[in-house]
Amino acid sequence: MNLPLKRPSQIALIVSIALGLCACNDTTVTTEAADEKTDIAAAINFVNRAEADLASLSIEANRAEWIYSNFITDDTAALSAAMGEKVTSTSVRYATEAAKYANVDLEPVNARKLNSLRSSIVLPAPLDAAKNAELASIVSQLNGLYGKGKYCFADGRCLTQPELSNIMAESKDPALLLEAWKGWREIAKPMRPLFEREVELANQGASDLGYTDLSELWRSQYDMEPEAFSAELDRLWAQIKPLYDSLHCYVRGELNQQYGDDVAPKTGPIPAHLLGNMWAQQWGTIYNSVAPKDADPGYNVTELLAQNGYDEIKMVKQAEGFFTSLGFGALPETFWTRSMFVQPQDRDVVCHASAWDLDNLDDIRIKMCIQKNAEDFSVIHHELGHNFYQRAYKNQPFIFKNSANDGFHEAIGDTIALSITPKYLQKIGLLETVPDASKDIGLLLKQALDKIAFMPFGLMIDQWRWQVFNGTIKPEQYNQAWWELREKYQGVKAPIERTEADFDPGAKYHVPGNVPYTRYFLAHVLQFQFHKALCDIAGDTGPVHRCSIYGNKAAGAKLNQMLEMGASKPWPEALNVVTGSDKMDAKAVLDYFAPLQVWLDEQNTQANRQCGW
């Protein structure tokens, strides 16, 4: 637990008591009341000043980062690093000052703003200017090592991470998969000493703010005590784990049939290079290898997009049309002129899909290297979810221009994507007829390979980081602990021996990029909870996995009511607006995949598979 700093008036009071002076007369009471009013006025003045300054600074920072992400050069990297240093030092300065007012009795709005100023820094720098500059430099170096990373094969081909990921998704040659898997992880080895120093500096920064370490700070951002939040994650995972275990057992059995015992054993953890993804975090690309024989729904969204003349812009226009069908206003003209939809051929850019709010009002954009396929059609809906959320809360004060918690922001777009059902595809003219329910198992399995397979990975990234931050995992144990947690949560193992000369966490963007990851686990729970509630509001009485809220204004109005709140209220209140409950609950996940759970258990029983690892 962090101990709040004492105000000068409190210190004076303690001294007077120690001297045995009586503090029980009217004059003292009057003085204390005056001091309290002074403290309140000072705290409110500070909040207003900090909010105005950070709002202005955010626009400058957004523009610098946008330029760097779209024009990666040494110069733009230097400008981005300098801007990052300025933002961090300013945020740390205000967070430190906010800690001084921790005991001031403010009304709820300013109390919430004050707490946000103190706890919302992801990577707090120490107050020492030289250490702040060192941290900013490390952040830039780590981003650069990842962004410029390539692996060169013996034939001279040097491939980037997206190109290597294509091999992971498409190849069935275990030797090639292993080389691509191992090759990408070579780029992370130089990150290790930088990351270790970054942890030291950020922990000092967290300590300067009154937190035990960076783990406590990160877990303090969820409107509950840090330990209570950790327990909440454990509760949610316990709900989901039986479904994941069934999926893991089925997939492992199918891979064993495909590759044989030597490559894919029947029991134990699954070798990580066989699951169709560079990090084994989503398994959808191996669907064709594990799908039941009669699972083909009779259509392919990638082919339908091509047949109907969908280019990159038309894909985005259609996603916008989903939101406008719910009653949201159309995107501003600047969205279309300022976004990046296609990868430029003349320069290096960050292709990682992202949504941007440049001016905290209406200058919203996406940055993607769109591929004309089913996956990116869904990703576009997801990214626009961020943009419509950003615009919905634009009238909130700057500090509240955010989601109720970070899981909400990720969940909104995915909630919309859950409505990309055959029924939706038919309504927008991509599909002539909706397949009957006999095809649902295939569709649910494909979704589960992405969404259910992801959940333990979404959980374990920060389980590892939090233990690194609080010292439970020592630097000399980084890689060992990483694979122990991956086996514990995912039932996945490294396909070859790994040592502490490796730094496999660094091969995942969000680790060198310092992006908290628990938000993605929460989003995977919340999106199903939102989807179920919105389908109920829309009056859909069929199976929840077949529901699409496309075109339903009542569901859109309720969703918008929550989005407009931004971060102005604790997340349980925002959750209650749409779901009628103030608790996150994974039961909606189980309801959605209920037919698949029955089918998976039947398949595993019939094949006499030994589940677990």
Side-chain angles (χ1 to χ4, degrees):
M1 294 293 293
N2 51 295
L3 298 176
L5 301 175
K6 293 184 173 65
R7 304 195 308 270
S9 59
Q10 292 176 302
I11 295 171
L13 180 59
I14 292 170
V15 171
S16 67
I17 292 173
L19 293 174
L21 300 177
C22 177
C24 302
N25 56 54
D26 292 343
T27 302
T28 303
V29 172
T30 302
T31 302
E32 286 181 350
D35 286 346
E36 186 174 347
K37 286 183 179 179
T38 301
D39 287 342
I40 290 173
I44 293 174
N45 181 64
F46 159 71
V47 168
N48 292 338
R49 174 167 46 87
E51 185 167 43
D53 192 13
L54 290 171
S56 176
L57 187 60
S58 74
I59 297 173
E60 187 180 355
N62 290 341
R63 288 175 176 155
E65 190 61 27
W66 175 265
I67 292 169
Y68 171 62
S69 295
N70 285 278
F71 303 87
I72 301 177
T73 68
D74 290 341
D75 293 327
T76 58
L79 291 171
S80 175
M83 194 65 233
E85 181 182 344
K86 183 178 179 182
V87 169
T88 300
S89 62
T90 303
S91 299
V92 168
R93 176 162 51 84
Y94 284 136
T96 305
E97 191 170 350
K100 298 176 183 178
Y101 298 104
N103 278 352
V104 176
D105 188 17
L106 297 174
E107 37 70 40
V109 170
N110 280 308
R112 187 166 181 79
K113 287 183 178 181
L114 191 70
N115 184 65
S116 179
L117 285 168
R118 179 168 171 254
S119 68
S120 61
I121 298 177
V122 172
L123 207 65
L127 296 176
D128 179 272
K131 289 181 177 179
N132 181 19
E134 182 185 1
L135 182 60
S137 175
I138 289 173
V139 168
S140 182
Q141 289 179 69
L142 286 171
N143 273 311
L145 285 169
Y146 190 94
K148 295 178 181 179
K150 293 181 181 179
Y151 172 66
C152 298
F153 288 87
D155 61 9
R157 290 178 302 146
C158 293
L159 303 186
T160 63
Q161 179 264 306
E163 292 167 330
L164 291 167
S165 286
N166 284 337
I167 292 175
M168 301 298 295
E170 297 169 4
S171 176
K172 303 303 177 189
D173 177 355
L176 178 59
L177 291 171
L178 181 59
E179 183 174 3
W181 186 95
K182 182 177 181 295
W184 176 246
R185 279 153 182 78
E186 291 298 307
I187 68 109
K189 288 183 177 180
M191 296 179 186
R192 190 183 184 111
L194 292 168
F195 180 81
E196 182 180 345
R197 179 59 176 158
E198 181 182 67
V199 170
E200 292 175 357
L201 293 170
N203 268 337
Q204 288 181 37
S207 178
D208 288 343
L209 296 178
Y211 295 95
T212 304
D213 51 54
L214 192 57
S215 165
E216 186 181 70
L217 189 156
W218 279 25
R219 291 179 295 135
S220 295
Q221 298 171 10
Y222 292 94
D223 295 306
M224 55 201 309
E225 292 296 323
E227 293 308 315
F229 179 62
S230 294
E232 182 75 351
L233 296 177
D234 291 340
R235 180 184 68 80
L236 292 169
W237 173 236
Q239 287 183 279
I240 298 160
K241 190 175 185 299
L243 173 58
Y244 178 78
D245 288 351
S246 296
L247 180 68
H248 179 281
C249 188
Y250 173 78
V251 168
R252 183 180 58 193
E254 295 298 309
L255 291 175
N256 173 257
Q257 288 186 15
Q258 178 179 340
Y259 291 108
D261 293 347
D262 291 342
V263 175
K266 290 180 181 177
T267 60
I270 301 172
H273 67 310
L274 301 178
L275 289 162
N277 177 272
M278 182 60 77
W279 308 279
Q281 67 179 61
Q282 290 167 306
W283 307 344
T285 56
I286 65 165
Y287 172 74
N288 290 334
S289 298
V290 302
K293 292 182 175 57
D294 60 348
D296 184 2
Y299 69 90
N300 180 298
V301 173
T302 300
E303 293 174 1
L304 292 174
L305 292 170
Q307 291 166 10
N308 288 270
Y310 273 71
D311 60 10
E312 295 85 356
I313 300 298
K314 189 173 181 181
M315 290 169 70
V316 181
K317 287 282 188 184
Q318 183 56 63
E320 177 195 32
F322 196 112
F323 287 90
T324 57
S325 83
L326 299 177
F328 291 88
L331 292 165
E333 181 59 28
T334 52
F335 172 87
W336 301 103
T337 58
R338 297 174 183 175
S339 290
M340 187 188 85
F341 303 118
V342 182
Q343 182 172 6
Q345 299 303 306
D346 61 343
R347 63 184 190 271
D348 290 330
V349 300
V350 177
C351 273
H352 190 80
S354 53
W356 297 65
D357 178 6
L358 272 290
D359 67 351
N360 304 315
L361 288 172
D362 294 300
D363 189 357
I364 49 180
R365 315 174 189 179
I366 63 170
K367 181 182 60 59
M368 284 184 67
C369 303
I370 296 174
Q371 306 296 307
K372 291 176 282 188
N373 58 34
E375 180 181 358
D376 276 12
F377 188 55
S378 179
V379 169
I380 294 166
H381 285 73
H382 171 94
E383 297 303 335
L384 290 195
H386 288 298
N387 284 147
F388 279 94
Y389 205 161
Q390 289 161 341
R391 192 172 64 176
Y393 57 58
K394 71 177 184 179
N395 293 324
Q396 290 287 349
F398 173 73
I399 291 177
F400 295 153
K401 290 184 179 185
N402 209 333
S403 56
N405 70 38
D406 53 9
F408 276 62
H409 233 313
E410 296 300 329
I412 296 306
D414 280 347
T415 299
I416 298 303
L418 286 176
S419 280
I420 305 178
T421 61
K423 185 190 298 185
Y424 168 60
L425 299 176
Q426 183 190 46
K427 284 184 177 180
I428 64 175
L430 279 177
L431 194 61
E432 288 187 10
T433 57
V434 175
D436 62 51
S438 68
K439 304 300 183 184
D440 285 2
I441 292 300
L443 293 171
L444 285 171
L445 177 61
K446 190 167 181 59
Q447 280 192 303
L449 289 170
D450 281 333
K451 293 184 179 293
I452 302 304
F454 174 83
M455 288 186 171
F457 183 82
L459 189 61
M460 66 77 49
I461 295 280
D462 281 348
Q463 297 295 320
W464 178 82
R465 271 195 291 209
W466 293 344
Q467 291 180 58
V468 167
F469 296 157
N470 68 23
T472 302
I473 296 173
K474 308 296 183 189
E476 60 271 18
Q477 303 167 321
Y478 279 169
N479 227 46
Q480 175 191 341
W482 173 261
W483 285 107
E484 287 174 351
L485 285 170
R486 295 204 64 179
E487 183 168 334
K488 173 185 174 181
Y489 284 103
Q490 285 186 279
V492 165
K493 67 178 181 180
I496 53 174
E497 184 180 355
R498 310 303 283 167
T499 72
E500 293 305 325
D502 302 301
F503 184 57
D504 294 333
K508 176 60 183 170
Y509 166 75
H510 298 73
V511 174
N514 297 299
V515 180
Y517 213 75
T518 300
R519 64 183 64 172
Y520 301 107
F521 173 77
L522 296 177
H524 276 64
V525 174
L526 288 166
Q527 64 185 265
F528 290 99
Q529 200 170 352
F530 289 148
H531 178 66
K532 174 69 167 64
L534 292 170
C535 287
D536 290 344
I537 293 167
D540 191 302
T541 57
V544 68
H545 63 272
R546 297 196 123 213
C547 166
S548 177
I549 63 168
Y550 176 74
N552 191 278
K553 298 292 197 296
K558 185 62 73 171
L559 178 62
N560 188 55
Q561 183 184 346
M562 181 184 76
L563 301 187
E564 287 181 339
M565 294 169 67
S568 64
K569 301 289 184 182
W571 65 259
E573 294 185 35
L575 180 67
N576 189 59
V577 168
V578 167
T579 68
S581 171
D582 60 1
K583 294 195 182 325
M584 291 184 284
D585 188 3
K587 183 178 182 300
V589 179
L590 305 182
D591 289 346
Y592 189 96
F593 289 102
L596 179 67
Q597 171 94 60
V598 172
W599 182 85
L600 288 170
D601 290 342
E602 288 174 351
Q603 303 306 304
N604 292 331
T605 300
Q606 290 171 11
N608 197 29
R609 290 173 177 141
Q610 180 184 333
C611 296
W613 57 86

